[in-house]
Amino acid sequence: MLLSSTQKIPEHSAIPRHLAIIMDGNGRWATRRMLPRTAGHMRGVQSVRRIVESCGKAGVKYLTLFAFSSENWRRPSDEVSLLMRLFVQALEKEVHKLEKQGVRLRVIGDLTRFDPKLQQLIKEAEAKTAHNDSLHLTIAANYGGRWDILNATQQLLKDKPELIQTPELINEETFSEYLSMAFAPEPDLFIRTGGEQRISNFLIWQLAYTELYFTDVYWPDFGAKQLDAAFEWYQGRERRFGRTSAQL
Ligand code: IPE
Ligand code: IPE
Ligand code: MG
């Protein structure tokens, strides 16, 4: 299952096997319309629905969405509570649909900081969709790439304390088994909406060789047409993984 871009070259196809998205720009979308930022987050949920559907149709196998970063707790408490409520609502309302659509849902991140009710809903949603395999939808919540790497290190050493004596035995493959995306190949395509060109502590390990696509479109305005444009751009990339063009 594991495929490290620095070792094996993943097969290139017109549609990315794994797409990772930073859904950014909800707040600015709303502010532009003289609406509260929360209105943008509500519209953002509709975009998630649309993109999950489009990715399913297009044949994307893994879709990973950044919903809440470990740094987003720094926002005003009203906004954080609304985001949590939207998360709960979406889980309550959408899981049945996802289950029917063949979507397997996973949530990655440090979930211990969430309300126990939300943690329980997440567990149930993951269990309900665990038999599905057509689209693997992963929501990153209270996620941070640095947390992921530290957490993997801690889990690895807990699991195999003997490695302290032989650290040279730790390699990319054994290490990445402990990362939260261990079940998926690395992202082929990354999209960030909202105009910023940064990774904001998303999948920093896994994005090592991912094609990075940035668009000014705010997340609530991002739909099938914008997704197609990103796929078209992706098709034009030459993925070399360190080699020369002539070697491909
Ligand atoms: C992304 O939109 C959603 C989350 C981070 C939860 P923002 O809320 O960051 O929107 P902007 O960047 O302020 O416009
Ligand atoms: C990144 O967006 C996190 C999510 C989309 C969930 P932010 O809006 O929080 O990122 P910065 O702070 O502008 O880098
Ligand atoms: Mg933002």
Side-chain angles (χ1 to χ4, degrees):
M1 191 78 235
L2 262 162
L3 201 64
S4 172
S5 57
T6 49
Q7 292 162 14
K8 276 184 237 153
I9 299 182
E11 234 175 79
H12 193 62
S13 55
I15 299 294
R17 195 147 72 111
H18 184 175
L19 168 63
I21 307 182
I22 296 189
M23 312 182 286
D24 197 22
N26 292 350
R28 281 164 289 157
W29 179 92
T31 307
R32 280 232 173 148
R33 285 166 178 75
M34 318 278 271
L35 295 167
R37 290 176 55 85
T38 49
H41 295 314
M42 290 194 269
R43 285 293 288 252
V45 177
Q46 295 178 23
S47 291
V48 172
R49 228 176 267 136
R50 280 201 304 267
I51 292 305
V52 170
E53 226 182 280
S54 302
C55 283
K57 280 191 196 142
V60 170
K61 198 76 192 160
Y62 298 87
L63 173 64
T64 305
L65 303 175
F66 205 4
F68 192 87
S69 76
S70 40
E71 290 72 36
N72 287 146
W73 297 105
R74 297 172 183 156
R75 295 191 176 196
S77 63
D78 287 7
E79 184 168 340
V80 171
S81 329
L82 178 105
L83 286 167
M84 294 300 146
R85 272 208 306 283
L86 283 178
F87 197 11
V88 170
Q89 267 175 28
L91 285 171
E92 285 174 340
K93 274 203 349 217
E94 309 287 332
V95 171
H96 181 61
K97 228 190 294 164
L98 294 177
E99 194 188 347
K100 282 199 302 195
Q101 289 170 347
V103 177
R104 175 162 185 179
L105 179 76
R106 290 182 182 87
V107 181
I108 58 162
D110 181 4
L111 305 184
T112 57
R113 194 154 166 200
F114 291 132
D115 186 84
K117 184 190 166 199
L118 180 51
Q119 290 187 43
Q120 184 57 29
L121 273 172
I122 291 170
K123 247 198 222 154
E124 286 168 13
E126 289 182 332
K128 265 188 207 154
T129 61
H131 58 281
N132 283 338
D133 186 43
S134 68
L135 173 66
H136 292 249
L137 170 64
T138 304
I139 306 292
N142 192 21
Y143 178 86
R146 290 184 179 176
W147 165 83
D148 200 1
I149 293 169
L150 281 176
N151 184 57
T153 310
Q154 291 164 0
Q155 298 310 320
L156 171 71
L157 289 179
K158 260 189 214 155
D159 216 21
K160 300 179 175 153
E162 67 277 10
L163 284 174
I164 296 184
Q165 309 307 323
T166 50
E168 64 280 4
L169 294 182
I170 304 175
N171 58 33
E172 273 188 35
E173 213 161 353
T174 52
F175 178 76
S176 50
E177 269 170 47
Y178 289 86
L179 292 166
S180 45
M181 290 300 295
F183 59 89
E186 289 168 15
D188 302 294
L189 175 64
F190 159 97
I191 297 175
R192 183 174 185 141
T193 62
E196 308 297 351
Q197 304 201 354
R198 52 179 176 250
I199 304 293
S200 299
N201 200 14
F202 194 25
L203 303 161
I204 49 179
W205 172 282
Q206 297 86 343
L207 290 174
Y209 262 107
T210 304
E211 300 298 328
L212 307 178
Y213 180 85
F214 299 94
T215 168
D216 289 338
V217 174
Y218 294 137
W219 178 248
D221 290 329
F222 194 85
K225 206 176 105 206
Q226 288 75 17
L227 184 68
D228 279 346
F231 286 166
E232 208 180 305
W233 175 87
Y234 173 74
Q235 283 159 23
R237 299 292 94 206
E238 183 179 76
R239 306 188 73 192
R240 291 190 285 274
F241 299 95
R243 288 154 184 82
T244 69
S245 200
Q247 284 178 295
L248 300 173

